[in-house]
Amino acid sequence: MKCHFPKELSEIIRARFPLIYLQTFEEERALVMLKDLCADSGKNGLNRPLYVWSHTQGLKKYPDGQIDSSLLSPYQLLDHIEKSANSSLYVLLDFHIYLDDQHRTPDNDRIVRRLREVGMSLRNANLARTLVITSPIVNLPQSLQKDVMVMDFPPPTQMEIRTALDRLILKQKGAGGVQVFLTEEDKQQLCKAALGLTQQEAEGTFARAMASNGVLEASDVDFILAQKQQILKKSGALEYVGSDFKLEDVGGLENLKKWLEKRNRTWMDEAKRYNLPALKGVMVTGVPGCGKSLIAKAISSLWKLPLLRFDISSVFGVYVGQSEANMRRALQTAEAIAPCILWVDEIEKGLGGASGGEGDSGTTRRVFGNFLTWMQEKQALVFVFATANQIDRLPPELLRKGRFDEIFFVDLPSKEERKQIFKVHLRRRLTSPEARGDFQETEQILDELANLSDKFIGAEIEDAITNALYEAFFDSRAFRLDDLKRIIINTPRFADMQADYLQSIRTWAKQRAVPASQTFENI
Ligand SMILES: Nc1ncnc2c1ncn2[C@@H]1O[C@H](COP(=O)(O)OP(=O)(O)OP(=O)(O)O)[C@@H](O)[C@H]1O
Ligand SMILES: [Mg+2]
């Protein structure tokens, strides 16, 4: 996929936005991109010199001009830029330290003021001069919010990663030692596995794969995916979920399963001639413990797409603009990994505040707005699989028609579904001959168990089976049906304890959702 970011940035710079804040961990890659834009004299280029400033070195024409170390202080720099008589682009490294809204000092206040003044004077000047502040975090005082355009530098595309990989292979080959056994297709797979990482992370991961055994080969894809899992985890909001659950491991929910099966591979080239709309995602709500999370894991193996769990509540940060930036970055990473499934578990916990104006200066609402806009506009296949238990906490805009492809409601399992859930879990648990003894889950036994477990949720069925197994283990014997039946009879049911809650979510669902099972009248 081609990266449109340089063109977008160039348009903004040519439209005379004087102050741009580029959020990125990849200072060097951003500088190379800006250098190329500045050197480009075509219609999308900037055709002007690029200067880079840091408070340790001063100002330098990039990449290899003289350093002017008389301009170490931010005031001197801003004065210099305001007076300069050339069209140019200035990149200010680490300038965010002067803008920290949490630790204001009189000095910092003056720098913020001066930056606003310079911004205003550049906007009204004839010469095209632009300041770009690059920083890994967005750290903007309230007073600068309206003057500064905040942008995120997206992670590298597959093509950029490929360039880095080729460069690395060449370097390693030159140094001797490392052997590379890769076909063209293997190289593509390796680069695909590294999508979502920064260029430095991708290069580091390739280098480690080479260093581990002196060889770079097709099987290193697993190593790269495992590394990516670690890296995403550290970055907070996204987590790679590896899962070997299959659709057969989920009992019931036939409607939802069929819906998912019918949409398998619709993002592949072969589906293009049907001109199908791009998939947006589904919202799955309903009774807790009935398989919502389980099905998220199962889609990943059905569709053979990576599953990313997105914890929306962790995007919220203390600095102004930080939460929005974190949200954009997480969504960009997901887009870089596309096609993939973005699993937003218990979405109400992250976005619930957006419906009620809960005094956090509108941040939740803005972050939520960013999420909605992204859902509307996303081009890449990032299939949103959102689950929610407390539907009444969700902002109505999220549920309006057209946002998700479908809203499903998972009810208590029907008798037939309970039979299937018993079957799934008995098979999963009773794998050794010692534990199983001569027990067989026949139709008749499953029927009996399903009758006894009326109004059970899926999790209660699984629990009853494990508890019966504890009995068997404690007495050093095989599993017994009698234990299971006794446990079922003595289990207090969630459905009885929470009857009012159940009634209210069912009433809600009848008007707004489609049953995940075959009918609504399950019980
Ligand atoms: N339909 C089902 N088929 C098989 N197992 C199930 C089913 N429903 C629930 N279970 C079992 O119950 C456990 C809880 O299910 P799961 O985590 O999917 O529920 P959930 O709907 O996401 O609940 P919550 O709303 O509390 O997050 C799972 O580990 C699973 O083993
Ligand atoms: Mg769940």
Side-chain angles (χ1 to χ4, degrees), residues 288-294 309 343 345-346 387-389:
C290 286
K292 297 187 294 294
S293 300
L294 195 61
R309 188 173 11 218
W343 173 21
D345 208 15
E346 304 189 30
T387 73
N389 287 346

